[in-house]
Amino acid sequence: YEAKRAGRRTWVVFDEAMHARLARSGPIQAALRVAIERGELSIDYQPIVDLETGRMSTVEALLRWTHPELGVLDPAEFIPIAEESGHIIVIGEWVLRQACAQWMRWQAQDAAAAPAGISVNLSRVQMALGSHLVTVVNDALESTGMPPEALQLEITERELMKDPGAARELLLALASLGARLALDDFGTGTSSLACLREHPFHSVKIDRSYVTGLSHDRHVLAVAHATVNVIENLGMVSVAEGVETQAELATLQALGCRFGQGRLFAPPLPPDRVLGALKV
Ligand code: C2E
Ligand code: MG
Ligand code: MG
């Protein structure tokens, strides 16, 4: 399973760290099954900022899990377990509905201060549902009354590349609902320029590894510069992930990157702290 997760056609050696992970994964899997009904899951929202104006444009929904004994769990640990066990299907649908409902509440509260849209991460396991996922997304939009263009769905580059052909049809169906699509963690996978052209992405999120070091490493700078140019020249919107310093922000602005997300602007926040989080 570890080899499969590492991208198949490879092998791995069983070691202590894997043993420790496996020993935790059983209890985590069992606890996940009841996490929703016990109210242990919540969603934080992180502002995505217009780099020209400094204003919040949209927000990304990020899942949080606080277990009574295990404490706050890292998504990097529990999301892969939820994917392996299939729990991510129910949880992902819950996130989608919650996020849409939350966006509608912000609109009702203060439309001028509310984010213009909301981004929700999709797992490859949800993508494998094919047309059922399209139904789930459509239901979430219809039942909450959220306008489709305010919803953005994020798919990571790695997951897209596992089966780009199959993904294309699904992405087209999701786009035809009116929802927007974003390619997440760009630069960490193996996609080609053709992949950017062939899929209906509205925006591309440049991975944090190309943002960290931007201000002092000329190789990172060269790649980030070229990446922003390709994204923008293809008519898509560039978003930088994990912006932490003023120096990174200044460089991104000089490169013409349009949006940014990171602790420099705001960390992921509980919903009641989002409006007015970025008063400029
Ligand atoms: P992601 O979609 O790339 O989300 C961005 C991650 O970067 C988040 O980690 C966020 O907290 C973190 N981050 C934001 N600003 C900064 C910064 O300035 N510096 C650094 N170092 N990190 C920053 P988080 O919340 O731990 O989530 C990790 C990943 O888990 C997400 O990466 C996403 O792939 C996945 N995930 C989170 N929520 C969901 C969900 O509802 N469904 C699915 N399928 N995956 C989710
Ligand atoms: Mg994301
Ligand atoms: Mg990302």
Side-chain angles (χ1 to χ4, degrees), residues 60 121 154 156 184-186 205 207-208 241:
E60 176 174 10
N121 293 287
E154 297 192 1
T156 68
D184 201 358
D185 300 351
F186 185 67
K205 299 183 80 172
D207 190 69
R208 184 161 58 89
E241 300 192 272

Side-chain angles (χ1 to χ4, degrees), residues 76-92:
E77 179 174 30
F78 75 80
I79 287 175
I81 297 174
E83 287 177 331
E84 242 160 64
S85 63
H87 288 125
I88 196 71
I89 293 175
V90 175
I91 294 172

Side-chain angles (χ1 to χ4, degrees), residues 30-109:
L32 261 178
R33 196 166 36 229
V34 290
I36 293 185
E37 58 202 63
R38 295 197 178 157
E40 295 166 7
L41 299 182
S42 62
I43 304 174
D44 278 354
Y45 296 88
Q46 186 174 34
I48 296 174
V49 174
D50 183 325
L51 296 185
E52 206 171 300
T53 63
R55 285 174 189 278
M56 172 165 62
S57 164
T58 57
V59 291
E60 176 174 10
L62 293 163
L63 183 60
R64 297 293 177 253
W65 181 20
T66 310
H67 185 270
E69 280 115 46
L70 300 169
V72 177
L73 285 118
D74 187 344
E77 179 174 30
F78 75 80
I79 287 175
I81 297 174
E83 287 177 331
E84 242 160 64
S85 63
H87 288 125
I88 196 71
I89 293 175
V90 175
I91 294 172
E93 187 170 339
W94 179 84
V95 171
L96 190 64
R97 286 179 187 278
Q98 292 287 316
C100 293
Q102 182 56 56
W103 187 83
M104 293 298 284
R105 279 197 289 279
W106 283 324
Q107 286 297 310
Q109 249 173 288

Side-chain angles (χ1 to χ4, degrees), residues 228-243:
V228 170
N229 279 338
V230 168
I231 296 168
E232 293 291 333
N233 288 333
L234 284 171
M236 295 180 286
V237 172
S238 50
V239 184
E241 300 192 272
V243 185

